[in-house]
Amino acid sequence: MPELITFILFILLLILLICIDRKNIEIRGVIILRRTRKWIRMVKKLSKKHRRASSLFSYASAALSIPLLLLAVAYLILGTIRIVNRELRFAAALVLPAPVREVKIMPGVMFLPWYFWVIGAFVVVFSHELAHALVMSSRKIRIKSFGLFLLFFIPGAFVEPDEK
């Protein structure tokens, strides 16, 4: 029960933050966007200070992306074959938030406590977009804005390049 109460309080806090910051909030259908320019100076400083590391990181990421993509496709194909042959009931689990205290695993679905899911999603999305920003800045691509969004209740982030 405490998890459900904290989940409701979290949703109410999000609604309150959206109402307070409504001048900077953009609503596009089921997506709520919030853009900012606050991080641009910090990213420029970091990328300038660590230009070589940022460049190496971008090359390593590009080089790793193709074999990792092929590995993921192979994993999905093999999992599908094992499911069709009835060797497995499911090959991967959908990870969803739930207002519960413990992790629950059902066939094809894994429920995490909602706060694990929110914190994990924030950390993954923030670090991913920060890496995009650092690489863009090290390549001298101007950053127009950073942003957060909510698609229904699913959090996300983006770095918007200046297309000029």
Coordinates of all heavy atoms in Angstrom, one line a residue, residues 57-122:
F57 N 35.3 8.0 -28.3 CA 34.1 7.4 -27.8 C 33.1 7.3 -29.0 O 32.4 6.2 -29.2 CB 33.4 8.3 -26.7 CG 32.1 7.9 -26.3 CD1 31.8 6.7 -25.6 CD2 31.0 8.6 -26.7 CE1 30.6 6.4 -25.2 CE2 29.7 8.3 -26.4 CZ 29.5 7.1 -25.6
S58 N 33.0 8.3 -29.8 CA 32.1 8.2 -31.0 C 32.5 7.2 -32.0 O 31.6 6.4 -32.5 CB 31.9 9.6 -31.6 OG 33.1 10.0 -32.3
Y59 N 33.8 7.1 -32.3 CA 34.3 6.0 -33.2 C 34.1 4.6 -32.6 O 33.6 3.7 -33.3 CB 35.8 6.2 -33.5 CG 36.0 7.4 -34.5 CD1 36.9 8.4 -34.1 CD2 35.3 7.5 -35.7 CE1 37.1 9.5 -35.0 CE2 35.6 8.5 -36.6 CZ 36.5 9.5 -36.2 OH 36.7 10.6 -37.1
A60 N 34.3 4.5 -31.3 CA 34.1 3.2 -30.7 C 32.7 2.8 -30.7 O 32.3 1.6 -30.9 CB 34.7 3.2 -29.3
S61 N 31.8 3.7 -30.4 CA 30.3 3.5 -30.4 C 29.9 3.1 -31.8 O 29.1 2.1 -31.9 CB 29.6 4.7 -30.0 OG 29.9 5.1 -28.7
A62 N 30.3 3.7 -32.8 CA 30.0 3.4 -34.2 C 30.5 2.0 -34.6 O 29.8 1.2 -35.2 CB 30.5 4.4 -35.2
A63 N 31.7 1.7 -34.2 CA 32.3 0.4 -34.5 C 31.6 -0.7 -33.8 O 31.4 -1.8 -34.3 CB 33.8 0.4 -34.1
L64 N 31.2 -0.5 -32.5 CA 30.5 -1.5 -31.8 C 29.0 -1.7 -32.2 O 28.4 -2.8 -31.9 CB 30.5 -1.2 -30.3 CG 31.8 -1.5 -29.6 CD1 31.8 -1.0 -28.2 CD2 32.1 -3.0 -29.6
S65 N 28.4 -0.6 -32.7 CA 27.0 -0.7 -33.0 C 26.6 -1.8 -34.0 O 25.6 -2.5 -33.8 CB 26.4 0.7 -33.4 OG 27.0 1.0 -34.7
I66 N 27.4 -2.0 -35.0 CA 27.0 -3.0 -36.0 C 27.1 -4.4 -35.5 O 26.1 -5.2 -35.6 CB 27.9 -2.8 -37.3 CG1 27.5 -1.4 -37.9 CG2 27.6 -3.9 -38.3 CD1 28.3 -1.0 -39.1
P67 N 28.2 -4.8 -34.9 CA 28.2 -6.2 -34.3 C 27.1 -6.4 -33.2 O 26.5 -7.5 -33.2 CB 29.6 -6.4 -33.8 CG 30.3 -5.2 -34.0 CD 29.5 -4.2 -34.7
L68 N 26.9 -5.4 -32.4 CA 25.9 -5.5 -31.4 C 24.5 -5.6 -32.0 O 23.6 -6.4 -31.5 CB 26.0 -4.4 -30.3 CG 27.2 -4.4 -29.4 CD1 27.3 -3.2 -28.6 CD2 27.2 -5.7 -28.6
L69 N 24.2 -4.9 -33.0 CA 23.0 -5.0 -33.7 C 22.8 -6.4 -34.3 O 21.7 -7.0 -34.2 CB 22.9 -3.9 -34.8 CG 21.7 -4.0 -35.7 CD1 20.4 -3.6 -35.0 CD2 21.8 -3.1 -36.9
L70 N 23.8 -6.9 -34.9 CA 23.7 -8.3 -35.5 C 23.5 -9.3 -34.4 O 22.7 -10.2 -34.6 CB 25.0 -8.6 -36.3 CG 25.2 -7.7 -37.6 CD1 26.5 -8.0 -38.2 CD2 24.0 -8.0 -38.6
L71 N 24.2 -9.1 -33.3 CA 24.0 -10.0 -32.1 C 22.5 -10.0 -31.6 O 21.9 -11.0 -31.3 CB 25.0 -9.7 -31.0 CG 25.0 -10.6 -29.8 CD1 25.4 -12.0 -30.2 CD2 25.9 -10.0 -28.7
A72 N 22.0 -8.8 -31.5 CA 20.6 -8.6 -31.0 C 19.6 -9.3 -32.0 O 18.7 -10.0 -31.6 CB 20.3 -7.1 -30.9
V73 N 19.8 -9.1 -33.3 CA 19.0 -9.7 -34.3 C 19.1 -11.2 -34.2 O 18.1 -12.0 -34.2 CB 19.3 -9.2 -35.7 CG1 18.6 -10.0 -36.8 CG2 18.9 -7.7 -35.8
A74 N 20.3 -11.8 -34.1 CA 20.5 -13.2 -33.9 C 19.8 -13.7 -32.7 O 19.1 -14.8 -32.7 CB 22.0 -13.5 -33.9
Y75 N 19.9 -13.0 -31.6 CA 19.3 -13.4 -30.3 C 17.7 -13.5 -30.5 O 17.1 -14.4 -30.1 CB 19.7 -12.4 -29.2 CG 19.0 -12.7 -27.9 CD1 19.5 -13.8 -27.1 CD2 18.0 -12.0 -27.4 CE1 18.9 -14.1 -25.9 CE2 17.4 -12.3 -26.2 CZ 17.9 -13.3 -25.4 OH 17.3 -13.6 -24.2
L76 N 17.2 -12.5 -31.2 CA 15.7 -12.4 -31.4 C 15.3 -13.6 -32.3 O 14.3 -14.3 -32.1 CB 15.3 -11.1 -32.0 CG 15.3 -9.9 -31.0 CD1 15.1 -8.6 -31.8 CD2 14.3 -10.1 -29.9
I77 N 16.1 -13.9 -33.4 CA 15.7 -15.0 -34.3 C 15.8 -16.3 -33.6 O 14.9 -17.1 -33.6 CB 16.6 -14.9 -35.5 CG1 16.3 -13.7 -36.4 CG2 16.5 -16.2 -36.3 CD1 17.3 -13.4 -37.5
L78 N 16.9 -16.5 -32.8 CA 17.1 -17.8 -32.1 C 16.0 -18.0 -31.0 O 15.4 -19.1 -30.8 CB 18.5 -17.9 -31.5 CG 19.6 -18.1 -32.4 CD1 21.0 -18.0 -31.7 CD2 19.5 -19.4 -33.2
G79 N 15.6 -16.9 -30.3 CA 14.6 -16.9 -29.3 C 13.2 -17.3 -30.0 O 12.5 -18.1 -29.4
T80 N 13.0 -16.7 -31.1 CA 11.7 -17.0 -31.9 C 11.7 -18.4 -32.3 O 10.6 -19.1 -32.2 CB 11.6 -16.0 -33.1 OG1 11.7 -14.7 -32.6 CG2 10.3 -16.3 -33.8
I81 N 12.8 -19.0 -32.8 CA 12.9 -20.4 -33.2 C 12.6 -21.3 -32.0 O 11.8 -22.3 -32.1 CB 14.2 -20.7 -33.9 CG1 14.3 -20.0 -35.2 CG2 14.4 -22.2 -34.0 CD1 15.7 -20.0 -35.9
R82 N 13.2 -21.0 -30.9 CA 13.0 -21.8 -29.7 C 11.6 -21.7 -29.2 O 11.1 -22.7 -28.7 CB 14.0 -21.3 -28.6 CG 15.4 -21.7 -28.9 CD 16.4 -21.3 -27.9 NE 16.2 -22.2 -26.7 CZ 16.7 -21.9 -25.5 NH1 17.5 -20.9 -25.3 NH2 16.5 -22.7 -24.5
I83 N 10.9 -20.6 -29.3 CA 9.5 -20.5 -29.0 C 8.7 -21.3 -29.9 O 7.8 -22.1 -29.5 CB 9.0 -19.0 -28.9 CG1 9.7 -18.3 -27.8 CG2 7.5 -18.9 -28.9 CD1 9.5 -16.8 -27.8
V84 N 8.9 -21.2 -31.2 CA 8.1 -22.0 -32.2 C 8.3 -23.5 -32.0 O 7.4 -24.3 -32.1 CB 8.6 -21.6 -33.6 CG1 8.0 -22.5 -34.7 CG2 8.1 -20.1 -33.9
N85 N 9.5 -23.9 -31.6 CA 9.8 -25.3 -31.3 C 9.4 -25.7 -29.9 O 9.7 -26.9 -29.5 CB 11.3 -25.6 -31.5 CG 11.8 -25.5 -33.0 OD1 10.9 -25.7 -33.9 ND2 13.0 -25.3 -33.2
R86 N 8.8 -24.9 -29.2 CA 8.3 -25.1 -27.9 C 9.4 -25.5 -26.8 O 9.1 -26.2 -25.9 CB 7.2 -26.1 -27.9 CG 6.0 -25.7 -28.7 CD 4.9 -26.8 -28.7 NE 3.9 -26.5 -29.6 CZ 2.7 -25.9 -29.3 NH1 2.4 -25.6 -28.1 NH2 1.8 -25.7 -30.3
E87 N 10.6 -25.0 -27.1 CA 11.7 -25.2 -26.1 C 11.6 -24.1 -25.1 O 12.1 -24.3 -24.0 CB 13.0 -25.1 -26.9 CG 13.3 -26.2 -27.8 CD 14.6 -25.9 -28.7 OE1 15.5 -25.2 -28.1 OE2 14.6 -26.3 -29.8
L88 N 11.0 -23.0 -25.4 CA 10.9 -21.8 -24.5 C 9.4 -21.3 -24.5 O 8.8 -21.4 -25.5 CB 11.7 -20.7 -24.9 CG 13.2 -20.6 -24.6 CD1 13.8 -19.3 -25.1 CD2 13.4 -20.6 -23.1
R89 N 9.0 -20.8 -23.4 CA 7.6 -20.2 -23.4 C 7.8 -18.7 -23.8 O 6.9 -18.2 -24.4 CB 7.0 -20.3 -22.0 CG 6.5 -21.7 -21.7 CD 5.9 -21.8 -20.4 NE 4.7 -20.9 -20.3 CZ 4.0 -20.7 -19.2 NH1 4.4 -21.4 -18.1 NH2 3.0 -19.9 -19.2
F90 N 8.9 -18.1 -23.5 CA 9.2 -16.7 -23.9 C 10.7 -16.5 -23.9 O 11.4 -17.2 -23.2 CB 8.5 -15.7 -23.0 CG 8.9 -15.8 -21.6 CD1 9.9 -15.0 -21.1 CD2 8.2 -16.6 -20.7 CE1 10.3 -15.0 -19.8 CE2 8.6 -16.7 -19.4 CZ 9.6 -15.9 -18.9
A91 N 11.2 -15.7 -24.8 CA 12.6 -15.5 -25.0 C 13.1 -14.2 -24.3 O 14.2 -14.0 -24.0 CB 13.0 -15.4 -26.5
A92 N 12.2 -13.2 -24.1 CA 12.5 -12.0 -23.5 C 11.3 -11.5 -22.7 O 10.2 -11.9 -22.9 CB 12.9 -10.9 -24.6
A93 N 11.6 -10.6 -21.8 CA 10.5 -10.1 -21.0 C 10.3 -8.6 -21.2 O 11.3 -7.9 -21.3 CB 10.7 -10.4 -19.5
L94 N 9.1 -8.2 -21.2 CA 8.8 -6.8 -21.3 C 8.9 -6.3 -19.8 O 8.4 -6.9 -18.9 CB 7.3 -6.6 -21.8 CG 6.8 -5.2 -21.9 CD1 7.5 -4.5 -22.9 CD2 5.3 -5.3 -22.3
V95 N 9.6 -5.2 -19.7 CA 9.8 -4.7 -18.3 C 8.9 -3.5 -18.1 O 8.9 -2.5 -18.8 CB 11.3 -4.2 -18.1 CG1 11.5 -3.6 -16.7 CG2 12.3 -5.3 -18.4
L96 N 8.0 -3.7 -17.1 CA 7.0 -2.6 -16.9 C 7.0 -2.2 -15.4 O 7.4 -2.9 -14.5 CB 5.6 -3.2 -17.2 CG 5.3 -3.6 -18.6 CD1 3.9 -4.3 -18.7 CD2 5.3 -2.4 -19.5
P97 N 6.6 -0.9 -15.2 CA 6.6 -0.5 -13.8 C 5.3 -1.0 -13.1 O 4.3 -1.3 -13.8 CB 6.5 1.1 -14.0 CG 5.9 1.3 -15.3 CD 6.3 0.1 -16.1
A98 N 5.4 -1.2 -11.9 CA 4.2 -1.6 -11.1 C 4.2 -1.1 -9.7 O 5.3 -0.9 -9.1 CB 4.2 -3.2 -11.0
P99 N 3.1 -0.7 -9.2 CA 3.0 -0.2 -7.8 C 3.1 -1.3 -6.8 O 2.2 -1.6 -6.0 CB 1.7 0.5 -7.7 CG 0.8 -0.2 -8.7 CD 1.8 -0.7 -9.8
V100 N 4.2 -2.1 -6.8 CA 4.4 -3.2 -5.9 C 5.8 -3.0 -5.2 O 6.7 -2.3 -5.7 CB 4.3 -4.6 -6.6 CG1 2.9 -4.8 -7.1 CG2 5.3 -4.6 -7.7
R101 N 6.0 -3.8 -4.2 CA 7.3 -3.7 -3.4 C 8.4 -4.6 -4.1 O 9.5 -4.2 -4.1 CB 7.0 -4.1 -2.0 CG 8.2 -3.9 -1.1 CD 7.9 -4.2 0.3 NE 6.9 -3.3 0.7 CZ 6.4 -3.3 1.9 NH1 6.8 -4.1 2.8 NH2 5.4 -2.4 2.2
E102 N 8.1 -5.7 -4.5 CA 9.1 -6.7 -5.0 C 9.0 -6.8 -6.6 O 8.0 -6.4 -7.2 CB 8.9 -8.0 -4.4 CG 7.6 -8.8 -4.7 CD 6.4 -8.3 -3.9 OE1 6.6 -7.6 -2.9 OE2 5.3 -8.6 -4.3
V103 N 10.0 -7.4 -7.1 CA 10.1 -7.7 -8.5 C 9.2 -8.9 -8.8 O 9.3 -9.9 -8.1 CB 11.5 -8.0 -9.0 CG1 11.6 -8.4 -10.4 CG2 12.4 -6.7 -8.8
K104 N 8.3 -8.9 -9.8 CA 7.5 -10.0 -10.1 C 7.7 -10.4 -11.6 O 7.8 -9.5 -12.4 CB 6.0 -9.7 -9.9 CG 5.6 -9.5 -8.5 CD 4.1 -9.3 -8.3 CE 3.8 -9.1 -6.9 NZ 2.4 -9.2 -6.6
I105 N 7.9 -11.7 -11.8 CA 8.2 -12.2 -13.1 C 7.1 -13.1 -13.5 O 6.8 -14.1 -12.8 CB 9.6 -12.9 -13.3 CG1 10.7 -11.9 -12.9 CG2 9.8 -13.4 -14.7 CD1 12.0 -12.5 -12.8
M106 N 6.4 -12.8 -14.7 CA 5.4 -13.7 -15.2 C 5.9 -14.0 -16.6 O 6.8 -13.4 -17.2 CB 4.1 -12.9 -15.3 CG 3.5 -12.5 -14.0 SD 2.1 -11.4 -14.0 CE 1.1 -12.0 -15.3
P107 N 5.3 -15.0 -17.3 CA 5.7 -15.3 -18.7 C 5.6 -14.1 -19.6 O 4.6 -13.5 -19.8 CB 4.7 -16.4 -19.1 CG 4.2 -17.0 -17.8 CD 4.2 -15.9 -16.8
G108 N 6.8 -13.7 -20.1 CA 6.9 -12.6 -21.0 C 6.8 -11.2 -20.4 O 7.0 -10.2 -21.1
V109 N 6.6 -11.1 -19.1 CA 6.5 -9.8 -18.5 C 7.3 -9.8 -17.1 O 7.2 -10.7 -16.4 CB 5.1 -9.3 -18.2 CG1 5.0 -7.9 -17.6 CG2 4.2 -9.5 -19.5
M110 N 8.0 -8.7 -16.9 CA 8.7 -8.5 -15.6 C 8.3 -7.2 -15.0 O 8.4 -6.2 -15.7 CB 10.2 -8.5 -15.8 CG 11.0 -8.4 -14.5 SD 12.8 -8.8 -14.8 CE 13.4 -7.2 -14.6
F111 N 7.7 -7.2 -13.8 CA 7.2 -6.0 -13.2 C 8.3 -5.6 -12.1 O 8.7 -6.4 -11.3 CB 5.9 -6.3 -12.5 CG 4.8 -6.5 -13.5 CD1 4.3 -7.8 -13.7 CD2 4.2 -5.5 -14.1 CE1 3.3 -8.0 -14.6 CE2 3.1 -5.7 -15.0 CZ 2.7 -7.0 -15.2
L112 N 8.7 -4.3 -12.3 CA 9.6 -3.8 -11.3 C 8.9 -2.8 -10.4 O 7.9 -2.2 -10.9 CB 10.7 -3.0 -12.0 CG 11.8 -3.8 -12.8 CD1 12.8 -2.9 -13.4 CD2 12.5 -4.8 -11.9
P113 N 9.3 -2.5 -9.2 CA 8.7 -1.4 -8.5 C 8.8 -0.2 -9.3 O 9.8 0.1 -9.9 CB 9.5 -1.4 -7.2 CG 10.1 -2.7 -7.0 CD 10.3 -3.2 -8.4
W114 N 7.8 0.7 -9.3 CA 7.7 1.8 -10.2 C 8.9 2.7 -10.0 O 9.4 3.3 -11.0 CB 6.4 2.6 -9.9 CG 6.3 3.3 -8.6 CD1 5.9 2.8 -7.4 CD2 6.8 4.6 -8.4 NE1 6.0 3.8 -6.4 CE2 6.6 4.9 -7.0 CE3 7.3 5.6 -9.2 CZ2 6.9 6.1 -6.4 CZ3 7.7 6.8 -8.6 CH2 7.5 7.1 -7.2
Y115 N 9.4 2.9 -8.8 CA 10.5 3.8 -8.6 C 11.8 3.3 -9.2 O 12.6 4.0 -9.7 CB 10.7 4.2 -7.1 CG 10.6 3.1 -6.2 CD1 11.7 2.3 -5.8 CD2 9.4 2.7 -5.6 CE1 11.6 1.2 -4.9 CE2 9.3 1.7 -4.7 CZ 10.4 0.9 -4.4 OH 10.3 -0.1 -3.5
F116 N 12.0 1.9 -9.2 CA 13.2 1.4 -9.9 C 13.1 1.7 -11.4 O 14.1 2.0 -12.0 CB 13.2 -0.2 -9.8 CG 13.7 -0.7 -8.5 CD1 13.7 0.0 -7.3 CD2 14.1 -2.1 -8.4 CE1 14.1 -0.5 -6.1 CE2 14.5 -2.6 -7.2 CZ 14.5 -1.8 -6.1
W117 N 11.9 1.5 -11.9 CA 11.7 1.8 -13.3 C 11.9 3.2 -13.7 O 12.6 3.5 -14.7 CB 10.2 1.4 -13.7 CG 10.0 1.2 -15.1 CD1 10.3 0.0 -15.9 CD2 9.5 2.1 -16.1 NE1 9.9 0.2 -17.2 CE2 9.4 1.5 -17.3 CE3 9.0 3.4 -16.0 CZ2 9.0 2.1 -18.5 CZ3 8.6 4.1 -17.1 CH2 8.6 3.4 -18.3
V118 N 11.4 4.2 -12.9 CA 11.6 5.6 -13.2 C 13.0 6.0 -13.1 O 13.6 6.7 -13.9 CB 10.7 6.4 -12.2 CG1 11.0 7.9 -12.3 CG2 9.2 6.2 -12.6
I119 N 13.7 5.6 -12.0 CA 15.1 5.9 -11.8 C 16.0 5.3 -12.9 O 16.8 6.0 -13.5 CB 15.6 5.5 -10.4 CG1 14.9 6.3 -9.3 CG2 17.1 5.6 -10.3 CD1 15.1 5.8 -7.9
G120 N 15.7 4.0 -13.2 CA 16.5 3.4 -14.3 C 16.3 4.0 -15.6 O 17.2 4.3 -16.4
A121 N 15.0 4.3 -15.9 CA 14.7 5.0 -17.2 C 15.4 6.4 -17.3 O 16.0 6.7 -18.3 CB 13.2 5.1 -17.4
F122 N 15.4 7.1 -16.2 CA 16.0 8.4 -16.2 C 17.5 8.3 -16.4 O 18.1 9.1 -17.2 CB 15.7 9.2 -14.9 CG 16.3 10.5 -14.8 CD1 15.8 11.6 -15.5 CD2 17.5 10.7 -14.1 CE1 16.4 12.8 -15.4 CE2 18.1 11.9 -14.0 CZ 17.6 13.0 -14.7

